[in-house]
Amino acid sequence: MENGSSDSVDDSGASTSASTGASNYEEETSPDLLKNTPSNIARLEDVIEQCKARHKYLARTQSPSDGEDVRWYFCKVPLAHKELSAAVPPTEIVGKSDYFRFSERDSLALEASFLQREEDLLAYWWKEYAECSDGPSRSRSVSKDTESDDLYLVEEERVGVPVKGGLYEVDLMRRHCFPVYWNGENRRVLRGQWYAKAGPDWIPLREDVAEQLELAYQCQVWHRRKFQPSGQFAARVDLQGTSQGSHALFTGEDDTWEATLVHSGGKSVKLRRGFSTSGSSKPTQDELRQQKEEEMDDYCSQVPVGHLVFMVHGIGQRLEKANLVDDVGDFRRVTASLAERHLTPYQRSTQRVLFIPCQWRKGLRLSGESAVEKITLDGVRGLRVTLGATVHDVLYYMSPIYCQQIIDSVSSQLNKLYMKFLKRNPGYNGKISLYGHSLGSVLSYDILCHQESLSSPFPMGSVTFEAVDDQGNVANGPCQPVVSISQPEKSDREIGHHVSFSDEIVTDDPRIENEEASHGPETDLEGELGGNTASAVGMVDKDKLISSLEKEVKTLKARISQLEKCRSMTSQVTETEDSNQTIQGEEPKSDNKQPILRKNTKVQNEKENCYKPYIRYTKLDFKVDTFYAAGSPLGVFLALRNVRIGIGRGQDYWRDEKIQEEMPSCRQMFNIFHPFDPVAYRIEPLVCEEYINIRPVIVPYHRGGRRLHIGYQEFKEEISTVSNAVASRVSYLKEKAINVLQPKGKETIEEEPESSHKEERSYGSLMMERLTGSEEGRIDHMLQHKTFQHPYILALGSHTNYWRDHDTALFIIKHLYRDIPEELPSDNSEPIKLFYERDPIDEETPLTFSDRVLIREFSRKVRKHVKQ
């Protein structure tokens, strides 16, 4: 986020009715001044002090009841559809628990924007208030103005004053507080100028009541005091739009005046002008939570975003109580709390992390859902609905019909969120990462693996077609009479939105020309070859690539010749049977040999079509730095697809020519899982087979060290490892002593090749380094389970607990701040170049974390120098 960014936070675009005020506002003050950032927040006070509209709100007396601080609030309860903010609540004093207070800096930004367009904003607000003509009796008034209908048509285009770390914005014209990065309800915004005493706290009054009190204050109504029926010597102000008989009484002189709100029942409440804290020595839990939230919002307004993390959800978002926004909010609060304890002040002041939810399932409607609902049985329907809202998403994604729609939904939502963020932060050049939970990790992984080649066959196993006779015997051995012909017209063969197909004609008709049979497979297989090798082009040199292509072309030619031979043998057998039937006076049977699997269609010469779906991927508008998979079933998905993670050259390493490899387009990848999560699987054995018997890395406990049972288990394993190493060392020394005593022979000669062989690194270890950024990097990280709980009890909530797990949050926070030193070096004349100030030239070089060692060493030297 750059200080000179020109992103407009003026909410005049939300309404055309304030064009005059907006133009005056732009002439007097640049929109940049209203951006709630560290560079502008100091200038906001000057803007407020120099604003002409501010002068009338200054305190004119020395009375304890007089003040000038204005605070802004937002309502906890969202507005109903098309409900106006001017539809006042039924009481003059808003409920203590109904409104949250914006932080001091957010209120400062809102007040600065309000004062610049005060006349237009108040005029629009009173216009809405007039539409709610009956006041409190019609608290749910709905506007019939067509302009209100337009508001909801351009909801995505609204831009207001950013608050709460940029996650929300305020439309001052309509007094709405709305979320930026997800679809949510509008919340009423209130400008608190006059307050009523409620216990130790001061609660804001409704704006229509406050406006009448402010007018009385400006007229210094206490100068016109007289005796009231109650015996008080005071000035009475009847309040319009309130309950019948409600009024305010002003007593005292200029520097001692006091105001009291009297309800119709005779109950009176003390009033004051301007915000004031409660001053209680024992704040309640609500007050402490309010104070904590304000401190966090003020922190977010001062520190720029240096790392953006998109949170992709998994299954279960169709459930009634499931809410990704709340889950990400919990995760955000946990990380903020842990950052205060585990990060240094310098690290926290350098950057902050913004977590944004990606709701790909909320607006997605699949055609199969209605059909599934119709066939759902009534027995234990609640359980069936729950399973349908969770497990069915996995089945939909494994279907070639709906897979494309799901991929499109995730990709478009990620790009949409990024463009929203970039619109409000045009100078952003920090890092962007993905966090995928459950099925969301599989979706994110598939998208990352297809950023180079944007088209890929649907991950399904190959089907073998064998010709059989009426007795079920296989004719001509295990030949596969499959002829693939590329079809240019895709429009007639699409299912869903963008699923394209290539036709494969499966037939036993001997009249098909051999030229056509040879042309089809070569065309189709060459297309597959281009798709499989596209991701590895940038990672292998030209000579190795050419040799690999030549080898694969030879394989394809051998396969084509086998298909032609199989076709010829099938033709000979068919001609022999037809001639035998003709001699016996019978009609030749054309259906004596049929494929086991077939799809009947109206094609000439009784050709049978089988389709191979292709998935088209959308390229992301940003580069992904780190991919976090939490509670991920990615491992089992890859195993079922017969896929390994690599650059396409691991057939010899895995000793399987049918193995396919793919590599995600990210700098680093982590797999975080609970040991008893029934959905999670490991990934490292699919990258490097040497890690099959190596335990995952234990994620540190957020309160320090290992849990008791984990530490005891590791202690036993360490003792066993040390004893085995000692035994192996003793055995080695014995053999070496024997070799020294014996004459030099074959054993000593073969010792050198063994030592040189140990230095060679396997293909899997190189892929591990590619995915982790270091030779000793790891992918699988396992959380520590609680000590005194049964595994099956832990398994029940382990899969959904990642959003609120402190160990997971601390692991991610530590990694996100890994490149920032703990302290600012005092002896360094040049400023530290942080990662979000990267040189554009560096973007062309391969990304790596190899400089992490230099940063760590540099920090160690700085700490040593400071101690000296």
Side-chain angles (χ1 to χ4, degrees):
M1 180 183 300
E2 295 183 352
N3 297 337
S5 59
S6 60
D7 57 328
S8 173
V9 299
D10 179 17
D11 58 350
S12 59
S15 173
T16 58
S17 62
S19 58
T20 304
S23 60
N24 295 335
Y25 157 66
E26 290 176 358
E27 292 176 0
E28 296 179 6
T29 305
S30 171
D32 290 344
L33 293 178
L34 301 183
K35 189 170 178 55
N36 197 0
T37 59
S39 61
N40 297 327
I41 204 69
R43 288 182 287 177
L44 289 176
E45 296 181 356
D46 296 336
V47 171
I48 292 176
E49 294 298 331
Q50 297 174 7
C51 183
K52 296 180 181 179
R54 172 65 174 168
H55 296 164
K56 65 180 180 181
Y57 294 113
L58 297 177
R60 297 188 177 187
T61 68
Q62 300 297 323
S63 172
S65 299
D66 199 354
E68 57 189 33
D69 293 336
V70 176
R71 294 297 290 270
W72 289 76
Y73 298 78
F74 67 96
C75 187
K76 296 180 182 179
V77 181
L79 293 168
H81 182 59
K82 296 187 180 181
E83 181 183 7
L84 302 179
S85 294
V88 296
T91 59
E92 294 83 4
I93 306 173
V94 300
K96 179 179 179 181
S97 59
D98 293 342
Y99 280 78
F100 273 129
R101 187 170 60 242
F102 284 110
S103 67
E104 183 177 357
R105 291 177 176 269
D106 287 346
S107 292
L108 196 62
L110 291 171
E111 184 68 9
S113 180
F114 172 81
L115 292 177
Q116 295 292 339
R117 298 183 297 151
E118 181 189 19
E119 294 183 2
D120 295 304
L121 294 176
L122 288 178
Y124 190 89
W125 189 89
W126 283 109
K127 175 186 175 184
E128 285 192 350
Y129 182 80
E131 293 176 3
C132 311
S133 55
D134 294 337
S137 62
R138 294 186 57 190
S139 60
R140 292 289 178 182
S141 299
V142 177
S143 172
K144 299 181 184 301
D145 192 357
T146 56
E147 185 178 357
S148 298
D149 297 336
D150 298 337
L151 165 66
Y152 299 93
L153 298 177
V154 294
E155 191 80 17
E156 296 293 333
E157 302 300 328
R158 287 199 297 174
V159 177
V161 181
V163 293
K164 304 189 74 63
L167 294 174
Y168 293 84
E169 291 179 350
V170 173
D171 181 355
L172 288 175
M173 183 63 67
R174 292 180 173 83
R175 303 293 176 93
H176 286 171
C177 180
F178 57 93
V180 177
Y181 299 105
W182 61 88
N183 295 326
E185 299 90 349
N186 294 312
R187 298 178 185 272
R188 179 186 287 110
V189 173
L190 183 145
R191 183 175 181 263
Q193 185 181 4
W194 282 81
Y195 293 81
K197 189 75 170 179
D201 301 322
W202 290 97
I203 307 301
L205 296 175
R206 282 171 16 199
E207 291 178 286
D208 60 324
V209 177
E211 188 71 17
Q212 298 176 63
L213 294 174
E214 180 64 19
L215 180 61
Y217 171 84
Q218 297 293 339
C219 297
Q220 297 183 348
V221 69
W222 54 83
H223 289 166
R224 299 191 294 271
R225 301 188 305 275
K226 61 182 180 179
F227 285 101
Q228 302 297 325
S230 61
Q232 286 182 294
F233 186 62
R236 173 172 174 145
V237 177
D238 293 325
L239 301 176
Q240 304 296 324
T242 60
S243 57
Q244 187 175 5
S246 296
H247 59 276
L249 296 177
F250 285 82
T251 61
E253 299 294 337
D254 288 343
D255 294 338
T256 61
W257 68 266
E258 291 183 354
T260 304
L261 175 64
V262 182
H263 297 284
S264 56
K267 183 180 179 181
S268 61
V269 180
K270 187 177 180 180
L271 301 176
R272 71 163 281 115
R273 181 177 184 264
F275 172 76
S276 177
T277 58
S278 62
S280 176
S281 58
K282 295 182 179 180
T284 62
Q285 292 295 328
D286 291 339
E287 292 174 350
L288 292 175
R289 186 174 57 135
Q290 173 74 42
Q291 182 181 0
K292 190 71 175 177
E293 188 168 350
E294 288 186 39
E295 291 176 356
M296 181 53 58
D297 292 342
D298 282 337
Y299 162 77
C300 292
S301 66
Q302 300 176 67
V303 180
V305 177
H307 208 126
L308 185 63
V309 181
F310 293 117
M311 317 286 280
V312 184
H313 67 79
I315 62 176
Q317 286 301 306
R318 295 170 60 201
L319 293 173
E320 183 178 356
K321 295 183 178 181
N323 192 332
L324 178 65
V325 176
D326 293 341
D327 292 336
V328 176
D330 293 339
F331 190 84
R332 193 182 296 115
R333 281 187 287 271
V334 171
T335 54
S337 175
L338 292 172
E340 292 181 356
R341 299 199 302 264
H342 294 274
L343 298 178
T344 64
Y346 174 71
Q347 288 177 318
R348 295 186 68 240
S349 64
T350 302
Q351 71 157 16
R352 66 183 176 95
V353 182
L354 184 62
F355 298 97
I356 297 179
C358 176
Q359 297 177 295
W360 59 267
R361 192 62 175 92
K362 187 174 183 179
L364 181 62
R365 297 292 180 266
L366 303 176
S367 58
E369 294 177 3
S370 58
V372 171
E373 185 177 354
K374 294 176 182 178
I375 62 176
T376 302
L377 301 178
D378 293 332
V380 290
R381 189 170 183 84
L383 177 60
R384 296 180 186 276
V385 171
T386 302
L387 292 176
T390 53
V391 181
H392 283 184
D393 284 344
V394 179
L395 301 179
Y396 287 135
Y397 185 62
M398 297 177 67
S399 166
I401 299 177
Y402 305 110
C403 176
Q404 182 70 65
Q405 299 181 47
I406 294 176
I407 287 293
D408 288 344
S409 178
V410 179
S411 302
S412 61
Q413 186 70 12
L414 288 174
N415 286 334
K416 177 182 176 182
L417 293 173
Y418 176 69
M419 294 308 297
K420 275 189 174 184
F421 177 81
L422 211 60
K423 180 180 180 181
R424 291 158 174 83
N425 304 271
Y428 180 76
N429 58 356
K431 294 183 179 180
I432 303 174
S433 296
L434 285 183
Y435 175 97
H437 174 251
S438 186
L439 179 63
S441 62
V442 182
L443 303 177
S444 303
Y445 173 85
D446 287 344
I447 292 174
L448 291 177
C449 286
H450 297 89
Q451 291 301 291
E452 299 298 332
S453 57
L454 298 178
S455 178
S456 174
F458 180 75
M460 59 188 298
S462 59
V463 181
T464 302
F465 296 87
E466 297 176 337
V468 296
D469 55 18
D470 295 337
Q471 286 75 26
N473 299 321
V474 179
N476 305 326
C479 65
Q480 301 179 10
V482 180
V483 181
S484 301
I485 300 178
S486 177
Q487 298 289 341
E489 293 133 19
K490 299 180 181 178
S491 59
D492 295 334
R493 310 186 185 278
E494 291 185 350
I495 298 179
H497 287 292
H498 304 291
V499 183
S500 58
F501 300 91
S502 62
D503 287 0
E504 293 186 283
I505 311 261
V506 183
T507 179
D508 55 356
D509 193 348
R511 291 171 292 182
I512 296 180
E513 298 181 1
N514 292 334
E515 180 180 359
E516 180 184 1
S518 61
H519 174 72
E522 184 174 358
T523 305
D524 187 62
L525 291 173
E526 285 180 359
E528 293 183 8
L529 173 62
N532 292 333
T533 58
S535 60
V537 169
M539 306 190 66
V540 296
D541 53 47
K542 186 180 298 184
D543 296 336
K544 295 182 179 179
L545 177 62
I546 293 175
S547 64
S548 175
L549 292 175
E550 290 178 349
K551 181 179 179 181
E552 197 148 1
V553 168
K554 291 181 180 178
T555 305
L556 295 177
K557 289 182 178 180
R559 182 176 175 183
I560 293 173
S561 62
Q562 180 182 2
L563 292 175
E564 292 178 350
K565 182 178 180 181
C566 183
R567 171 67 59 190
S568 177
M569 295 174 62
T570 305
S571 177
Q572 294 177 2
V573 172
T574 306
E575 290 177 357
T576 304
E577 291 181 354
D578 291 344
S579 60
N580 293 336
Q581 292 174 358
T582 304
I583 295 174
Q584 296 175 2
E586 300 177 357
E587 293 293 331
K589 297 181 180 180
S590 59
D591 56 346
N592 194 31
K593 304 282 192 299
Q594 299 293 344
I596 293 178
L597 300 178
R598 59 170 55 229
K599 179 179 179 69
N600 294 326
T601 55
K602 297 180 179 179
V603 183
Q604 292 181 355
N605 298 328
E606 297 181 356
K607 295 181 180 179
E608 298 165 2
N609 295 338
C610 127
Y611 303 108
K612 186 174 185 180
Y614 276 73
I615 306 300
R616 291 204 293 266
Y617 292 85
T618 302
K619 190 173 182 62
L620 299 178
D621 297 332
F622 53 89
K623 294 181 180 179
V624 176
D625 179 82
T626 307
F627 170 47
Y628 301 95
S632 173
L634 177 60
V636 72
F637 271 79
L638 296 181
L640 295 178
R641 297 173 183 174
N642 199 25
V643 172
R644 302 294 182 265
I645 301 180
I647 59 174
R649 301 180 59 196
Q651 284 75 15
D652 295 338
Y653 173 76
W654 297 105
R655 297 176 296 278
D656 188 353
E657 295 183 356
K658 296 182 179 179
I659 286 288
Q660 298 181 4
E661 291 187 324
E662 55 191 13
M663 179 67 68
S665 298
C666 59
R667 292 177 60 182
Q668 220 170 5
M669 176 178 177
F670 292 103
N671 180 36
I672 308 169
F673 56 89
H674 191 279
F676 301 137
D677 185 355
V679 180
Y681 290 84
R682 291 193 63 185
I683 293 179
E684 286 179 342
L686 300 180
V687 182
C688 181
E689 62 181 0
E690 287 87 351
Y691 283 84
I692 294 177
N693 298 322
I694 300 179
R695 289 186 58 189
V697 179
I698 301 296
V699 176
Y701 186 39
H702 69 279
R703 293 182 178 175
R706 299 282 195 268
R707 294 181 184 267
L708 180 62
H709 61 289
I710 299 293
Y712 178 69
Q713 183 179 359
E714 288 186 346
F715 175 75
K716 291 195 304 180
E717 293 179 354
E718 185 177 354
I719 293 296
S720 176
T721 302
V722 170
S723 60
N724 292 335
V726 171
S728 176
R729 184 65 178 173
V730 170
S731 175
Y732 171 74
L733 292 176
K734 287 182 179 180
E735 293 179 0
K736 192 171 184 179
I738 294 174
N739 291 335
V740 170
L741 296 177
Q742 291 179 354
K744 293 184 179 181
K746 188 175 183 181
E747 292 81 1
T748 58
I749 297 175
E750 293 180 350
E751 189 172 350
E752 275 189 26
E754 287 184 2
S755 61
S756 62
H757 178 70
K758 291 181 181 179
E759 296 178 358
E760 296 180 0
R761 298 183 58 189
S762 64
Y763 173 82
S765 64
L766 294 175
M767 295 302 100
M768 284 290 294
E769 182 179 359
R770 166 68 178 81
L771 281 171
T772 60
S774 64
E775 294 184 9
E776 299 178 356
R778 298 290 300 275
I779 298 176
D780 291 339
H781 291 75
M782 184 173 66
L783 301 173
Q784 303 181 48
H785 59 89
K786 295 182 179 180
T787 308
F788 303 107
Q789 284 194 10
H790 197 276
Y792 285 94
I793 297 178
L794 292 173
L796 295 176
S798 60
H799 185 64
T800 59
N801 195 46
Y802 295 99
W803 303 107
R804 289 161 289 276
D805 184 72
H806 286 66
D807 295 349
T808 303
L810 180 59
F811 173 82
I812 293 178
I813 281 294
K814 284 285 189 180
H815 184 263
L816 293 176
Y817 283 86
R818 67 195 179 278
D819 292 336
I820 302 178
E822 296 181 356
E823 302 293 340
L824 176 65
S826 58
D827 59 342
N828 191 7
S829 58
E830 297 183 359
I832 296 179
K833 185 178 181 182
L834 301 177
F835 63 85
Y836 54 84
E837 298 174 350
R838 291 179 295 187
D839 191 347
I841 300 178
D842 295 340
E843 296 295 332
E844 303 298 329
T845 60
L847 302 177
T848 177
F849 289 122
S850 59
D851 57 348
R852 181 174 56 181
V853 179
L854 297 177
I855 295 178
R856 189 177 300 171
E857 180 66 18
F858 178 75
S859 302
R860 186 187 64 80
K861 291 180 180 180
V862 169
R863 289 194 296 268
K864 182 178 179 182
H865 177 75
V866 171
K867 291 180 180 179
Q868 292 176 354

